[in-house]
Amino acid sequence: MIDFSLTDEQKMLVEMTRSFVEQEMLPHEETLERTNTLPPKLAAVLKKQSMELGLHACNLPEEVGGGGLDAVSVMLIEKELGRTSLALAECAHRPLNILAACEGEQVTQFLEPTIKGEKRDCIAMTEPGAGSDLRGMKCKAVCDGDEWVISGEKHFISQASVSDYCVLFAATGEEETSKGFKKRISAFLVAFDDPGVEVAPGYRNVSHRGYTNNILRFDNARIPAWRMMGPEGDGFRLVNEWLGPTRLTVAATCVARAERAFDTALNYAATREQFDQKIGKFQGIAFPLADMATEIKMANLLLLETAWKIDQGTVTPETCAMTKLFCTEMLAGVADQSLQAGGGMGLMEDLPLERIWRDARVERIWDGTSEIQRHIISRGLLRPLGA
């Protein structure tokens, strides 16, 4: 039996998060847009409110101190938060799912402080010469007794400047496979106050005010062996476990912004007059509105199915890739067409359309480009046939 209805608890979560966004976050969008940052006191207040509502670590299991929400509920929360341009600011951050893999001293030193909001995490995978090709990374970790010595560089590291540590992926050796030698990748918890670790400014970017990216440099940084997450060479398994839910978060925030852009365009088409009638009467505006509404509905169905499959333990990389691909590209089209419906006003800051249009561009790049998603999907289709 197919049931698309939400539980009473899920409806409550949606209403609570939407109220928080509308009352506490949306009013500060202009501050973020004009200054490219949130005042620290404001960010701290919003973070405190988010934690009081149970939004901060809702994605982590109860046994590690998180909210223990199912994937559908987390997706619904992420979608509501994604309606605002503050979504990537400090106040709306949730810890990485991968932290649930912490054990022993990792729990007390990293996981617990992060859940309490005392520390902030970020992920460090991408390098100047290794983006989608993770095995091409040059950042390496060499075992030296009871320590690992890390050297190399990472870039495009989201929000490292406001974080306390990263989950770092580095090469820890090579292994022979049927396709030749390949690097073994391992994950480490690296604090930014560790000797030999530098958090350098990143690149100026067009998308998402308040979002920063940084360059991380590791100059023979020594970290204790207990900071390795999982066994040596287990990095790819951890990446695969982390990327699925993360891509769903990206997809959910994209659908939220598409809905906001569509609502703005719809209301504009229903009130703006030209040639003595509402512009929504013209097929050039009305038909694109119909197409946008259809694509948004399809995206919402993909979100629900993918999150449901995560909860059922039946999700595949192909499903996550399809959802990320469709929702990010859908947002690009809806943002552009909504702006077009707004005409000259669409490009003005009076409406949120230019902001949504500008922010939409990066979604088809980070957390796996559209090309990589298509590669994952096609590989999943062809492999069972021996191709």
Side-chain angles (χ1 to χ4, degrees):
M1 179 179 178
I2 299 176
D3 186 358
F4 293 102
S5 61
L6 303 181
T7 65
D8 290 340
E9 181 183 2
Q10 288 169 339
K11 291 176 183 177
M12 181 192 70
L13 287 170
V14 169
E15 291 173 3
M16 178 188 71
T17 311
R18 180 171 297 174
S19 177
F20 175 59
V21 168
E22 292 179 348
Q23 296 178 22
E24 307 297 339
M25 298 179 75
L26 286 178
H28 303 294
E29 282 189 333
E30 288 306 313
T31 297
L32 183 65
E33 284 298 307
R34 297 190 184 282
T35 65
N36 203 30
T37 188
L38 283 180
K41 288 185 179 180
L42 173 60
V45 169
L46 291 174
K47 179 181 176 180
K48 182 174 182 292
Q49 292 174 328
S50 174
M51 295 187 69
E52 290 172 347
L53 291 173
L55 301 178
H56 173 66
C58 64
N59 57 319
L60 290 175
E62 284 185 299
E63 54 265 31
V64 301
L69 294 184
D70 56 80
V72 172
S73 298
V74 173
M75 179 274 291
L76 293 170
I77 288 173
E78 295 286 10
K79 183 184 171 188
E80 290 302 320
L81 291 171
R83 293 178 58 236
T84 171
S85 58
L86 273 66
L88 291 178
E90 171 69 14
C91 56
H93 176 73
R94 258 155 312 292
L96 298 164
N97 291 338
I98 198 173
L99 292 176
C102 286
E103 297 180 346
E105 197 168 350
Q106 298 171 358
V107 174
T108 56
Q109 296 298 314
F110 291 93
L111 176 59
E112 289 180 352
T114 304
I115 289 177
K116 294 176 182 177
E118 298 168 356
K119 289 185 177 181
R120 173 163 173 158
D121 56 311
C122 64
I123 199 90
M125 289 193 293
T126 305
E127 298 181 7
S132 301
D133 178 19
L134 286 181
R135 288 197 190 271
M137 66 175 57
K138 296 180 180 179
C139 184
K140 64 179 181 179
V142 178
C143 187
D144 183 15
D146 60 354
E147 293 182 319
W148 286 89
V149 183
I150 301 173
S151 58
E153 183 175 299
K154 299 288 183 178
H155 78 162
F156 294 153
I157 308 306
S158 298
Q159 306 291 47
S161 62
V162 294
S163 299
D164 299 287
Y165 68 96
C166 69
V167 178
L168 170 74
F169 290 85
T172 50
E174 288 187 333
E175 59 187 356
E176 188 173 4
T177 71
S178 59
K179 297 181 179 180
F181 284 93
K182 290 187 176 182
K183 292 179 180 178
R184 291 198 306 273
I185 306 299
S186 302
F188 300 87
L189 293 161
V190 180
F192 290 151
D193 58 2
D194 286 333
V197 179
E198 177 190 3
V199 181
Y203 311 93
R204 297 186 64 180
N205 62 90
V206 68
S207 291
H208 294 292
R209 299 290 183 259
Y211 162 80
T212 61
N213 67 87
N214 295 92
I215 297 170
L216 302 182
R217 298 190 178 100
F218 305 92
D219 184 11
N220 294 318
R222 288 181 171 269
I223 65 169
W226 63 263
R227 300 256 204 96
M228 175 182 282
M229 300 184 71
E232 188 271 332
D234 199 37
F236 264 102
R237 182 186 65 82
L238 291 173
V239 167
N240 289 332
E241 286 186 3
W242 170 75
L243 276 180
T246 300
R247 285 171 175 163
L248 186 62
T249 293
V250 173
T253 58
C254 285
V255 176
R257 291 199 298 278
E259 289 178 345
R260 188 176 176 191
F262 172 77
D263 288 342
T264 302
L266 182 64
N267 289 326
Y268 190 81
T271 55
R272 169 71 167 168
E273 290 191 3
Q274 290 287 277
F275 305 102
D276 297 323
Q277 61 179 328
K278 303 295 191 291
I279 63 172
K281 295 286 188 178
F282 297 104
Q283 287 187 0
I285 300 295
F287 283 13
L289 287 172
D291 290 340
M292 287 189 282
T294 302
E295 291 188 353
I296 289 172
K297 185 166 188 175
M298 291 168 63
N300 272 308
L301 290 172
L302 269 174
L303 284 178
L304 280 171
E305 185 202 40
T306 304
W308 179 79
K309 284 186 174 181
I310 291 176
D311 287 329
Q312 300 301 310
T314 60
V315 75
T316 63
E318 298 81 50
T319 299
C320 292
M322 287 178 183
T323 305
K324 202 266 183 182
L325 173 66
F326 184 84
C327 292
T328 56
E329 300 215 340
M330 178 276 299
L331 171 61
V334 168
D336 189 75
Q337 189 58 58
S338 295
L339 190 151
Q340 188 71 19
M345 283 304 299
L347 284 169
M348 302 300 112
E349 294 181 355
D350 300 67
L351 298 177
L353 295 175
E354 61 85 22
R355 178 166 64 237
I356 295 171
W357 175 70
R358 166 172 31 91
D359 290 348
R361 190 58 188 90
V362 71
E363 309 297 346
R364 289 178 281 162
I365 296 174
W366 59 15
D367 287 293
T369 64
S370 290
E371 290 75 20
I372 286 296
Q373 307 310 319
R374 289 185 172 95
H375 172 71
I376 294 171
I377 296 165
S378 60
R379 185 179 59 187
L381 293 172
L382 292 168
R383 272 186 174 174
L385 302 177

